[in-house]
Amino acid sequence: HIQYERVGADVTMKCGSMDWDAAVTWTVNGTDIDESHLNGSYLILRNVDLTQSGQYSCYEGSSWHLKYQTYLRVGTPPKEPVLMCRSNNYPKGFYCSWHLSTPTYIPNSFNISVIHGTREMVCEKDVFPKNRCHIRYIQLFSTVKYKVTLTVTNALGKNSTTLTFDEFAIVKPDPPESVVAKPVPNNPRRLEVSWQNPSSWPDPESFPLKFFLRYRPLILDQWQHVELSDGTSHTITDAYAGKEYIIQVAAKDNDIGTWSDWSVAVHATPWTEEPKHLTTEAQITETTRASTSSFMPPPTTKICDKG
């Protein structure tokens, strides 16, 4: 048996079918409970907190026959859940994900309903992550709004939230991928940046993306920005010579929706000229003389005849 109670509640447990005045012993997780918590054979817990969750057992008098056992779980009813719907693979469909802003400490169940006009649609739940489900578009370029309602329920209560939106309003691509930044040979103020469309974007030919590039030297906090209507590359021409740069790219459908999150940051430093080592004729002569004078012939062994 599992008994759910709210944090701060007063809890009374009865020892099975035992009379109120019967002699009993209570334990929690195998440890005896002080008699000051008893009212006759009843166990009284006042203002319970999370630490009092556990297995409670009641035994008959001196015989120690187990008469009652329950698992107490202390928690809270759910607050309004956080719901988000987004299309990162337009025009195939969209997904909705959800979470609770504060934990309840007890099991929760979630139910999601999606209505398009007058039609209820099936939101196919993902195995992982488990708090997400997908809707496949049935009618592209529809002007009918979607209404998504999420209800969360546990043993202590329930709560819900609703989103209403147009299909195009939730389009948000994933960030561009494989961002690369390289120096341009013999150009100390240039960096070549290239990237790829997000792999989750299914049809960049029919639904092209535009891009937003931001970059700054590590020594400064202020970003510089470039918006690009097409292409997946750009040459930065105003970089500071010799300074390391941090670079990111975002993507957006040309006509609808919002910008993606920023891509993973990449670092690059513009081309710098190798320092030249100048050698004068006098230094060459001096080096030659020094190497000659340091040459020592091998020792010779003299053999003397003893006379």
Side-chain angles (χ1 to χ4, degrees), residues 1-238:
H1 180 69
I2 299 177
Q3 183 173 342
Y4 294 97
E5 298 289 349
R6 293 185 184 217
V7 171
D10 293 339
V11 178
T12 300
M13 294 186 195
K14 187 180 177 185
C15 186
S17 59
M18 298 289 287
D19 293 335
W20 176 85
D21 57 354
V24 299
T25 301
W26 282 89
T27 66
V28 55
N29 299 328
T31 302
D32 286 0
I33 296 176
D34 188 88
E35 288 187 6
S36 63
H37 292 287
L38 299 187
N39 179 6
S41 63
Y42 292 5
L43 175 66
I44 310 294
L45 302 175
R46 303 203 179 279
N47 192 24
V48 291
D49 60 36
L50 298 173
T51 64
Q52 289 171 280
S53 292
Q55 184 167 286
Y56 288 79
S57 305
C58 177
Y59 299 89
E60 181 182 4
S62 56
S63 66
W64 279 89
H65 285 148
L66 179 64
K67 302 300 289 184
Y68 177 76
Q69 195 168 57
T70 187
Y71 197 94
L72 175 66
R73 296 197 67 166
V74 180
T76 61
K79 293 186 177 177
E80 185 177 328
V82 179
L83 174 64
M84 185 274 293
C85 296
R86 174 184 165 215
S87 175
N88 66 336
N89 62 347
Y90 190 81
K92 285 190 174 181
F94 65 88
Y95 69 85
C96 294
S97 62
W98 55 87
H99 68 275
L100 292 177
S101 54
T102 55
T104 64
Y105 306 102
I106 59 175
N108 305 293
S109 63
F110 294 90
N111 182 65
I112 191 162
S113 94
V114 181
I115 297 174
H116 185 228
T118 58
R119 175 175 178 174
E120 184 158 3
M121 306 182 70
V122 175
C123 201
E124 299 172 12
K125 288 195 174 181
D126 290 3
V127 176
F128 183 84
K130 62 182 181 180
N131 61 333
R132 191 168 79 175
C133 66
H134 280 84
I135 286 285
R136 300 183 196 283
Y137 280 139
I138 49 166
Q139 182 185 351
L140 204 54
F141 309 124
S142 171
T143 56
V144 178
K145 291 183 181 294
Y146 287 85
K147 182 181 178 182
V148 180
T149 301
L150 175 73
T151 304
V152 54
T153 308
N154 67 21
L156 301 176
K158 67 192 296 186
N159 216 321
S160 65
T161 191
T162 298
L163 291 180
T164 303
F165 52 84
D166 292 302
E167 169 191 302
F168 59 81
I170 60 166
V171 174
K172 179 183 176 181
D174 288 328
E177 299 172 2
S178 306
V179 182
V180 176
K182 295 179 180 177
V184 179
N186 301 310
N187 283 276
R189 301 203 63 196
R190 296 193 170 206
L191 288 169
E192 280 185 354
V193 186
S194 63
W195 57 90
Q196 293 179 8
N197 286 310
S199 53
S200 54
W201 196 251
D203 191 359
E205 292 291 326
S206 304
F207 297 90
L209 297 173
K210 59 183 178 180
F211 301 97
F212 206 61
L213 179 77
R214 74 174 184 178
Y215 59 98
R216 65 174 175 85
L218 290 182
I219 58 171
L220 297 178
D221 291 331
Q222 189 172 357
W223 293 93
Q224 290 168 277
H225 298 91
V226 180
E227 186 168 341
L228 304 161
S229 58
D230 59 2
T232 53
S233 64
H234 177 72
T235 301
I236 296 170
T237 59
D238 58 353

